[in-house]
Amino acid sequence: MALFRKSIAFARTAIAPSSVAGERSLDDATDLDSYLFDRETRMDKAWDFIADWPETETEVRPDSNARRSRKSMPSTGFSWSHLVRSFSGPLSRVRSRTVALASPSNRRKLGLALGGGFARTIAHIGVLKVLEEERIAVDLIARTSAGTILGAAYCAGMSARQIEQIASTTRFRDFARITLSRFGLYATDRMANFCEQVLKIKNFEDLKIPLAVTATDVRTGDPVVFTNGPLADPMRASCAYPGMFPPVNVEGRSLIDGMLAYSVPTTPLREMGAAFVIGVYLSTDRSRQSAPRHLFEVIAQGFSIAEARMSHLWKKDADLVIEPDIQGFSFDCFDRAKELIASGEKATRAALPQLRRLLKLPQPHVLSKMVATPTSSPLAPSSQTDSAV
């Protein structure tokens, strides 16, 4: 009987540190060694479980360094269900530990920085579509200028396809109206209505994915980054294109387009804790462009030149840059949404091999050789991403 009990104690000692199938193991080899080979402590715990079995004789349990006295187990007191329960305790503790190790909070975060470009920011939808299809979860998003609207929609929980449907029917008049102002020709108060009616959110805290919205202080030129509080006014400020929209007063500061501070807001993502940053840059080959036709195209061309000159400031914080081809698309081409989305998809698919290497994800030719397993929802972090990011 003593041999039987020692066998049970040894089995419990060996099983307790093991991983449950499909879950991660203990921290490292050192942790496993200390767990397995601290024999006295582990055997003490094993004997504590066995000591709970019904006994007919009073026993005295010696200290851990002495030889243990024999205990008798009556034939009528043994229960297989009690034996199973004795193992369930340590196994449940191991399960809870492995689940904690694999929690999303331990993942290395992926940030997506989306630059401005007015109507041409619709190309960002194509980027989001490909990431969803490839089950690459985005943990943080930073947007600037007109792209802020799409970023807020995605962070609010909309899928890329849902945003695509909205973009196909959205026009400039849905966000702006003509106004009499010496600071701009259009007012952006309709943008607040869009947030409440379409997105159905009012604050940054209501978003499912953390979002950073950038703007520029028109007096000092300092960048301003919003990550909490009311959402509507920071969005309006980030989209306040000089000459077209008037500055927006937020917390006592007069703010304009965030593109002047961060044409692609990679730096705020680093400050938010992103380990990997993807920057999406909407640039055009100016040598192939025709001469500006009116005031706003002159301003747009000026912004384009400034962006190119300052690109090194944000590229230093980008691990990967995706550049959709927007050549030939005007700043107000809302009616060409499908073409812009297709351009975003094409550029992102071309960058997928590099992105997979960055995140240490299997390449398609490797995946084809693996046995297919059930996967999670496209909007949730996948098992592949959890293990790599």
Side-chain angles (χ1 to χ4, degrees):
M1 185 59 67
L3 179 61
F4 175 71
R5 291 187 176 187
K6 288 183 178 181
S7 299
I8 294 175
F10 176 78
R12 181 187 173 277
T13 304
I15 292 174
S18 302
S19 300
V20 180
E23 296 180 350
R24 294 175 59 179
S25 60
L26 298 180
D27 293 335
D28 51 34
T30 304
D31 189 16
L32 183 61
D33 288 344
S34 62
Y35 194 89
L36 274 174
F37 299 110
D38 185 4
R39 185 177 183 277
E40 294 299 330
T41 301
R42 303 297 304 132
M43 292 300 291
D44 282 347
K45 293 181 180 179
W47 278 105
D48 287 341
F49 271 81
I50 297 175
D52 291 336
W53 291 345
E55 300 286 346
T56 56
E57 298 180 8
T58 304
E59 65 169 10
V60 177
R61 187 168 175 268
D63 61 85
S64 60
N65 294 323
R67 184 175 181 132
R68 299 186 185 278
S69 62
R70 294 177 177 272
K71 296 191 291 183
S72 61
M73 184 186 304
S75 59
T76 58
F78 178 76
S79 170
W80 283 105
S81 62
H82 194 94
L83 178 63
V84 172
R85 286 196 299 273
S86 71
F87 286 100
S88 64
L91 287 175
S92 64
R93 286 194 293 273
V94 172
R95 176 180 290 273
S96 64
R97 184 177 185 185
T98 56
V99 170
L101 287 171
S103 64
S105 61
N106 292 331
R107 294 174 61 247
R108 299 186 69 187
K109 295 180 179 180
L110 173 64
L112 184 63
L114 303 168
F118 211 61
R120 291 170 291 197
T121 59
I122 294 174
H124 293 158
I125 299 174
V127 177
L128 295 172
K129 284 180 65 175
V130 174
L131 294 179
E132 280 188 1
E133 291 169 4
E134 297 296 323
R135 300 183 181 275
I136 297 176
V138 177
D139 301 289
L140 304 165
I141 292 180
R143 303 297 303 251
T144 192
S145 195
T148 301
I149 301 169
L150 300 178
Y154 193 76
C155 291
M158 290 187 179
S159 69
R161 293 193 179 277
Q162 289 174 320
I163 300 174
E164 181 180 9
Q165 293 175 355
I166 295 175
S168 64
T169 59
T170 298
R171 296 295 181 266
F172 179 73
R173 62 178 177 273
D174 296 320
F175 305 108
R177 61 180 178 84
I178 295 178
T179 184
L180 296 176
S181 171
R182 61 185 180 183
F183 296 114
L185 299 179
Y186 298 91
T188 57
D189 52 345
R190 291 182 179 178
M191 196 175 296
N193 296 331
F194 177 84
C195 290
E196 295 182 9
Q197 296 176 8
V198 179
L199 305 184
K200 302 186 184 303
I201 55 173
K202 293 184 178 181
N203 302 304
F204 280 89
E205 291 79 4
D206 300 329
L207 300 171
K208 296 181 179 180
I209 299 176
L211 172 69
V213 173
T214 65
T216 306
D217 189 315
V218 71
R219 292 184 297 109
T220 65
D222 294 334
V224 182
V225 181
F226 296 94
T227 58
N228 54 63
L231 182 61
D233 282 347
M235 287 178 59
R236 292 175 56 219
S238 186
C239 299
Y241 198 83
M244 181 174 291
F245 303 114
V248 178
N249 189 282
V250 182
E251 299 176 356
R253 307 181 74 173
S254 185
L255 305 178
I256 58 174
D257 202 311
M259 190 165 51
L260 291 169
Y262 296 110
S263 55
V264 180
T266 56
T267 303
L269 288 176
R270 293 292 186 188
E271 295 171 352
M272 293 169 69
F276 307 104
V277 174
I278 303 172
V280 183
Y281 183 38
L282 302 177
S283 63
T284 59
D285 183 357
R286 291 188 300 277
S287 64
R288 295 167 52 192
Q289 287 184 282
S290 58
R293 298 170 298 173
H294 48 71
L295 170 65
F296 295 124
E297 287 194 354
V298 172
I299 297 175
Q301 185 73 349
F303 270 117
S304 179
I305 295 171
E307 283 180 339
R309 298 291 185 185
M310 298 186 298
S311 62
H312 65 282
L313 297 177
W314 62 265
K315 285 184 177 180
K316 63 181 177 60
D317 286 318
D319 296 295
L320 174 65
V321 178
I322 298 175
E323 297 189 46
D325 182 8
I326 58 170
Q327 193 70 37
F329 292 93
S330 63
F331 78 99
D332 58 347
C333 56
F334 290 96
D335 57 332
R336 301 180 65 183
K338 289 186 178 180
E339 298 173 68
L340 286 166
I341 293 172
S343 178
E345 290 185 65
K346 182 179 179 181
T348 307
R349 293 199 182 280
L352 275 178
Q354 187 177 351
L355 178 57
R356 289 184 178 278
R357 287 192 296 270
L358 174 67
L359 302 181
K360 298 181 180 179
L361 299 176
Q363 296 293 341
H365 66 277
V366 177
L367 288 172
S368 63
K369 298 179 182 179
M370 298 172 63
V371 178
T373 56
T375 55
S376 60
S377 168
L379 293 179
S382 66
S383 60
Q384 293 176 350
T385 307
D386 285 344
S387 62
V389 180

